[in-house]
Structure formats: C-alpha cells, structure tokens
Amino acid sequence: MGGACSRKRDQREGEDNVSGGVSRRYGKSGSSKWLATSFCRQSSDIQLGKGKCPSLMDLCIHKIREDIDKYNTFSMLPRDISQLIFNELVYSQCLSEVSLEAFRDCALQDLYLGEYPGVNDSWMDVVSSQGSSLLSVDLSASDVTDDGLTHLKDCINLQALNFNYCDQISDHGLECIGGLSNLTSLSFRRNSAITAQGMSAFAGLVNLVKLDLERCPEIDGGLVYLKGLTRLESLNINCCNCITDADMKPLSGLTNLKVLQISSSKVTDCGISYFKGLHNLSLLNLEGCPVTAACLDSLSALAALLYLNLRRCCLTDNGCEKFSRLGRKLKVLNLALNDITDTCLGHLKGLTSLESLNLDSCRIGDEGLVNLTDLKQLKCLELSETEVGSNGLRHLSGLINLESINLSFTVITDGGLRKLSGLTSLKSLNLDVRQISDVGLAALTTLTGLTHLDLFGAHITDSGTNYLRYFKNMRSLEICGGGLTDSGVKNIKDLSSLTLLNLSQNCNLTDRTLEMISGLTGLVSLNVSNSRITSSGIRHLRTLKSLKSLTLESSKVTANDIKNLQSNHLPNLVSFRPE
Amino acid sequence: MRKEDTVKLISAEGFEFVVHKDAAMVSQTIRNMLTSPVVGSFAETQHGEVTFPEISTTILEKICKYFYWNLQFGKETEFHIEPELTLDLLGHCPFCHWMFEDKIVA
C-alpha cells in the first residue's frame, strides 16, 4: 500500500508529560497561558478549498462525511480507507451511534474515541466486531462500564487500551482484559474503583511496556501483580496517595523501567531503596513524596538517570552532600519547595550536565548562586520566591546557554539586571518583581531573542515601553503594574508576533488602547481588566480573529457586549470575562 | 489538440477517453507508464493508450474529470461527486490498489 494509507501508529505518543509533574489533560487550568498551546479538539484535518489541491480520496471522504446517514456499511472497502473515513468522522464530530454501525466488521485497527461525546456500552458491539484486526482503542472519558469491556475479550491482538476517566469501570472490567496478552500499553487514569483484587489480571499481560494508573486511589497492594512484567518500561502511579513503601518492593526487579512516576504517594526513603537495581531508569518523579536527602543514597546508583523531580519533598541541608553523587548524566533537577539553603547548592556544582534546575521557593540567596557558575549547559533556571538579589545575578553572567530565567518575587533590583544583558540566548524572562522599573528594562535591550517577558508586578511606565521595541519576537508580554497609559501602548502595537498580552491593572487605559492593538492579529489571549475600556471600544477587537480568551473584568464592558462581539466577529473566542 | 499531446484511457467496457497528457499525468501511475524508460514494459502506452480492465466507464469518466479539475485547482469551482460513486471511487473494485499507490490519493 502506498504512502497515502500509512497510518502513523505512534502519532499519539508524546501526550504524556513525562518530564513534568502531573498530567493536566482534562483539567481546567486557571491560567490563561495554556491557551497559546493546546486547545479543544481540532476539527477536520481535511481542509477543502484551502492551499494544496485535495486528492480524489480526500474529496470522496469529505463527501461521505456530508451524507454519512446514507451509508449502511463500509465493510466492502479496504480497511485503510474505512479507517480514514472513521478518523475523519471522529475529528469532525460527525460520528454517532447510528453511523458507527456502518463500520461493523471493517477490520479497523485504531478506534480513538477518547473524550468523544456519547460513547457508552452500546458502541462496544461494533468496536469488538473489528475482531483480531483491532490494535488500539481509546475510550477515555466515556460511559463504558464493565459490561462494555467484556466485548473486548476476543480482540486478542489489542496492543493499546486507554480507559482514562472512565469511572464506571471496576475490578470486574479488568478481569475481561486479563487475557489480552498482546497488550503493550494500558491506561486507567483517575479510577477509584480499581483495587488490588482487579489488578491480579495484570499478571497475565506479559508484554506490557507502559502502564498508567495515575490518580487511582485504591490500588495499594496491587503492584505485586506487576512483578513478572519484566518488559515494563513506564509506570505512572502519580497521585495515588494509597501507595506506600511496601508497594515499591515488587518494582525492584523491573530492570527495564525507564520512567517511574510515584508523585504524591506515601513512599519514603525506605521505599526508594528498592530502586537501586533499576539501572535503565531515566526519569523518576517523586514530587510531594515524604523523602529526605537519605534517598540520594539509593538514587546515586541510577547511572542512567536524566530527570529527577524532588519538588515539594522533605529535603533539608541535612545529608545534601549526597547530591554530588548523583549520576553525571542528570539533565533536569527539580528541588522546588524544599527547605534547602545555599549549603545544598554547594553540592550541585559537579552536576555539569544539568540543563534545567528548579529552586523555586527554596531558602537560597546570592552566595549560593556562585555554585552554579560551572553548570554551563543550563538552559532553564527557576529562582522565583527565593532570597536571590542583585548581587547574586553576577554569577549567572557566564551561563550563556540560558534560555529561561524566572526571578519573580525575588529581591532583585534594577541595578542587577545588566548582569543578564549578555545572556543573548534568553527567550523567556520572568521579572514579576515590584522593585523593577523602567531603568531595569533599559539594561535588557540586548536580549533581542526574548519571546516571553513577564513584568506583571514591575513598575513600568510609558517611558519604559520604549525599550520594548527591541523585542521584535515577543510572543507573550505582561505589564500590570498600574503605570501604563494609552501613550505607552504605542510601543506595544508593533510587536506583531504577540499571542498573549496582559495589560490589566493599568487603570488609565482607555478605548484608545484597543484601537492601537487592533493590528495585533496573532493575539490568542488578551487581558485589559481594571481599565476604562467601554462597550464602544471593543469594536476595535473585531480584527483579532485568533482570540480565544478575552478578560475585561472591572471595566465598563458587560458580558453581553462580549457575547455580541463573539457571535458576530470572534468565532474562536471560548473564554471571556465578565461572563 | 495534437494526437501526440493526448492519451487514450480505456475503461473495462472498452469506452475510450481521449485526454490531454498533462491532465492524465496528474496521476503518478499514468505518468510512470507514459515516461517509463524500460522499453516494452508498458507496450500499450507506446501507442498512447492505457487500458484499465477493472475500472468501469462511469468511474473512469469521473477520474478524468478530476484530472482536469486538479489542473485548474484554485479557481472557485467545487468538484462534484455523486454520493453513489464515492464507495466505488474509494475502492469497491480492484482499482483501489491502483489508487492507493497513486498521487491522486496522496
């Protein structure tokens, strides 16, 4: 078969945020920053009438989608074609329980119905009719129950099953899949009905490579059934508060493990000691676990370790000299929200492969930063809410690979910022600090690669905005210190790459501001709360067709004004305030 | 049009469509047949003819129309497909194999 039909079976990899903390998918984030990256389901990937000439097959599939009710079956089509039709109906949300019937016995391989509206047990008969052809099924956030799972018993070639957020599945359902020994990937996130009893079915899944039980609060005692799953490479039991040291013992022999996530569990240093033999482990997430520096004894045996998350643990300076024994390969280290001081930083000196270091809310100050001077590979450094001041910044001047620094809520002042002026790789800089002013900004005009600049609480006035003109690539800008007027916005209106702009709390901004930024057509998120914006002013926003989020709280604009704007001019707007 | 600028596509029923080479070569398969350096591998194409014994006249006509629509793509016309033809076009016949490997489905 030709390239047209080659499906990317790995296309769904990478949805997991293995390097970060806990998955936020399905979560409602209060921050507007997520808008710029992910959003709701993309509609059809077959875009007719735009750009490239559609193929005859695209045209046929599009036609079928339009008249889907006229088709009784696609089973006479080659399965790759019916797979494409199926995918197109799912993407465009045109698939219903009725039209699903046309896909009975189509030998489909992938049924990605995660978050698809209306999926329940009555869909399962057609799902299972794909029989031995079926390789992967995603029914996340559906109403499928244990009864529905019984249908899958005969789909013996299944490799991947995803039942995240299916709260009607319990131990009985797991029994049904215990015989699917070809499974390599299995996911049951946020399920409170799964217990050790049901997990006994996992013992037969000898080919399992990836298991995800994040937010399953009753699974303690069940990991013992994973003992024989020697092919397991990734285990995610983040946010399973029931998990204790005893649960770690069965993992000690799973030497193929590369990714292990046990954040927010009850595992202590004693539990970590079972990991000593996991010589392939490259990512370990211990966020929020009650571990101390004593666990570093065990972790120092993990030569392959690249990512270590110790955020919100019980680390103190006591025993922190053991950090110097961590694997030399370590690239990412998160120590945020631990009670560690400059003393601890002294023991990080030798971790010269580090690319990312998070020290958010640690008790570190200027003196400690001298220990970072040899960490030349550092790209990302979080120092927010620390005692770091201007004197400490000189130790960062030589870290020329830095791309991101967070200095919010530190005690730095304008005078220190010139120490950062040579860091020309910087893309993201957070200076959400009250005592930073126009003077500090003037020292940063060499940083022409900046794409994200957060001056939320800084005291920036109209005159300071003159320096913003140097940042032509700016995509995200926040200036909310109250010192801006319309005349300062003149220097913002030409930052044509902006996708996020937050000018809230500048109570002197008027409709004139909206008029000036009406040319920033790439804007996805805009906040001009606490201003003098009026109902009449928002007409200037009609040109901002990409806008997804608009916040105009405490202005003279009403929810109805925005709703009118949304329905007549801004079809992409999904989040707005006042609402 | 000059004969050497055309190609004759023949359906299962023996119906002949004379189309511009430019149009026919929207299809990578036909392009390969017409430009194949291997002498004799597609004997019939040397006479500017390609026979498709498994493609019905109706479907071949639709495909030819698509070739011309593809050539003038960008102008504001829509390519009309009768609902009853979609499944045939998508492979309710051995022709689908040909289509899979072809640029017109890429």
Side-chain angles (χ1 to χ4, degrees), chain A residues 452-489:
Chain A
H452 296 79
L453 180 58
D454 189 337
L455 292 161
F456 189 96
H459 192 67
I460 303 299
T461 70
D462 293 340
S463 115
T465 61
N466 282 306
Y467 307 113
L468 296 175
R469 286 180 297 179
Y470 292 88
F471 309 129
K472 299 224 180 317
N473 301 313
M474 192 62 66
R475 299 212 308 264
S476 156
L477 179 64
E478 308 199 40
I479 302 180
C480 311
L484 278 198
T485 73
D486 292 338
S487 112
V489 177

Side-chain angles (χ1 to χ4, degrees), chain A residues 203-435:
Chain A
L205 305 178
V206 292
N207 286 304
L208 210 57
V209 173
K210 190 173 169 191
L211 179 60
D212 192 334
L213 298 169
E214 185 177 296
R215 292 182 194 274
C216 293
E218 305 292 337
I219 60 168
D220 48 309
L223 298 185
V224 68
Y225 299 109
L226 308 185
K227 215 172 174 179
L229 307 185
T230 52
R231 298 194 178 175
L232 205 61
E233 291 180 11
S234 172
L235 176 63
N236 179 359
I237 46 172
N238 279 335
C239 303
C240 301
N241 185 245
C242 57
I243 295 292
T244 66
D245 289 342
D247 290 300
M248 296 299 100
K249 195 174 176 187
L251 306 183
S252 62
L254 299 177
T255 53
N256 276 318
L257 271 178
K258 291 178 180 151
V259 174
L260 181 55
Q261 310 209 62
I262 59 169
S263 71
S264 302
S265 66
K266 294 196 175 98
V267 175
T268 71
D269 300 332
C270 174
I272 304 300
S273 68
Y274 294 112
F275 299 165
K276 281 180 196 162
L278 303 180
H279 56 266
N280 284 310
L281 202 63
S282 71
L283 184 149
L284 182 58
N285 185 355
L286 300 175
E287 177 170 347
C289 295
V291 297
T292 72
C295 78
L296 297 170
D297 280 330
S298 313
L299 300 185
S300 60
L302 305 177
L305 205 58
L306 299 176
Y307 307 86
L308 178 59
N309 188 349
L310 290 166
R311 184 185 177 88
R312 218 165 23 89
C313 293
C314 301
L315 299 177
T316 64
D317 289 345
N318 194 5
C320 67
E321 65 280 358
K322 292 169 186 147
F323 271 109
S324 61
R325 303 214 304 262
L326 281 178
R328 284 289 166 268
K329 289 185 182 172
L330 198 66
K331 277 187 178 175
V332 177
L333 180 59
N334 191 337
L335 295 172
L337 293 151
N338 281 292
D339 191 20
I340 52 172
T341 71
D342 293 344
T343 310
C344 181
L345 288 195
H347 302 291
L348 302 183
K349 264 191 228 174
L351 300 177
T352 49
S353 297
L354 272 187
E355 292 177 9
S356 172
L357 178 60
N358 191 333
L359 298 166
D360 174 39
S361 304
C362 295
R363 286 199 294 133
I364 56 161
D366 295 341
E367 298 307 312
L369 295 191
V370 71
N371 297 297
L372 306 185
T373 49
D374 287 334
L375 305 184
K376 300 288 187 200
Q377 306 298 321
L378 268 185
K379 289 181 181 166
C380 177
L381 182 59
E382 296 271 339
L383 296 169
S384 42
E385 298 200 48
T386 61
E387 292 152 25
V388 168
S390 286
N391 276 335
L393 295 184
R394 67 195 152 105
H395 302 304
L396 306 183
S397 303
L399 301 177
I400 53 164
N401 290 311
L402 274 172
E403 293 176 4
S404 169
I405 308 181
N406 188 341
L407 291 163
S408 61
F409 299 98
T410 58
V411 292
I412 56 162
T413 55
D414 287 334
L417 290 185
R418 69 192 152 85
K419 303 287 182 358
L420 303 180
S421 62
L423 300 177
T424 51
S425 296
L426 270 182
K427 291 177 182 159
S428 173
L429 185 55
N430 190 327
L431 296 172
D432 181 2
V433 179
R434 282 305 295 178
Q435 59 277 14

Side-chain angles (χ1 to χ4, degrees), chain A residues 71-331:
Chain A
Y71 296 86
N72 298 319
T73 179
F74 297 114
S75 62
M76 80 294 275
L77 289 179
R79 77 150 165 243
D80 296 77
I81 296 285
S82 29
Q83 180 78 57
L84 290 172
I85 299 171
F86 180 85
N87 295 349
E88 173 60 16
L89 288 176
V90 173
Y91 282 132
S92 58
Q93 304 230 349
C94 294
L95 188 69
S96 67
E97 195 185 328
V98 177
S99 52
L100 178 74
E101 194 59 39
F103 293 96
R104 186 178 289 278
D105 300 320
C106 280
L108 297 178
Q109 294 186 319
D110 305 308
L111 300 178
Y112 295 139
L113 289 164
E115 292 178 89
Y116 197 83
V119 177
N120 56 34
D121 283 350
S122 51
W123 291 49
M124 293 305 288
D125 198 37
V126 176
V127 169
S128 64
S129 75
Q130 314 307 326
S132 57
S133 298
L134 199 56
L135 299 180
S136 64
V137 174
D138 183 350
L139 295 168
S140 293
S142 71
D143 291 327
V144 169
T145 72
D146 291 337
D147 286 342
L149 281 196
T150 58
H151 285 85
L152 295 178
K153 261 184 182 168
D154 299 324
C155 301
I156 50 161
N157 288 320
L158 270 169
Q159 294 171 0
L161 278 179
N162 192 335
F163 291 101
N164 296 333
Y165 309 88
C166 293
D167 48 19
Q168 300 187 57
I169 290 176
S170 70
D171 288 343
H172 298 299
L174 297 191
E175 282 169 31
C176 308
I177 60 167
L180 301 174
S181 61
N182 286 309
L183 277 177
T184 57
S185 175
L186 185 57
S187 193
F188 282 98
R189 283 186 187 170
R190 212 183 71 190
N191 185 310
S192 45
I194 293 178
T195 71
Q197 193 188 350
M199 289 168 73
S200 62
F202 293 165
L205 305 178
V206 292
N207 286 304
L208 210 57
V209 173
K210 190 173 169 191
L211 179 60
D212 192 334
L213 298 169
E214 185 177 296
R215 292 182 194 274
C216 293
E218 305 292 337
I219 60 168
D220 48 309
L223 298 185
V224 68
Y225 299 109
L226 308 185
K227 215 172 174 179
L229 307 185
T230 52
R231 298 194 178 175
L232 205 61
E233 291 180 11
S234 172
L235 176 63
N236 179 359
I237 46 172
N238 279 335
C239 303
C240 301
N241 185 245
C242 57
I243 295 292
T244 66
D245 289 342
D247 290 300
M248 296 299 100
K249 195 174 176 187
L251 306 183
S252 62
L254 299 177
T255 53
N256 276 318
L257 271 178
K258 291 178 180 151
V259 174
L260 181 55
Q261 310 209 62
I262 59 169
S263 71
S264 302
S265 66
K266 294 196 175 98
V267 175
T268 71
D269 300 332
C270 174
I272 304 300
S273 68
Y274 294 112
F275 299 165
K276 281 180 196 162
L278 303 180
H279 56 266
N280 284 310
L281 202 63
S282 71
L283 184 149
L284 182 58
N285 185 355
L286 300 175
E287 177 170 347
C289 295
V291 297
T292 72
C295 78
L296 297 170
D297 280 330
S298 313
L299 300 185
S300 60
L302 305 177
L305 205 58
L306 299 176
Y307 307 86
L308 178 59
N309 188 349
L310 290 166
R311 184 185 177 88
R312 218 165 23 89
C313 293
C314 301
L315 299 177
T316 64
D317 289 345
N318 194 5
C320 67
E321 65 280 358
K322 292 169 186 147
F323 271 109
S324 61
R325 303 214 304 262
L326 281 178
R328 284 289 166 268
K329 289 185 182 172
L330 198 66
K331 277 187 178 175

Side-chain angles (χ1 to χ4, degrees), chain B residues 54-65:
Chain B
E54 288 157 334
I55 304 181
S56 72
T57 305
T58 330
I59 294 299
L60 192 55
E61 181 186 12
K62 201 76 209 171
I63 291 171
C64 290
K65 281 183 177 164

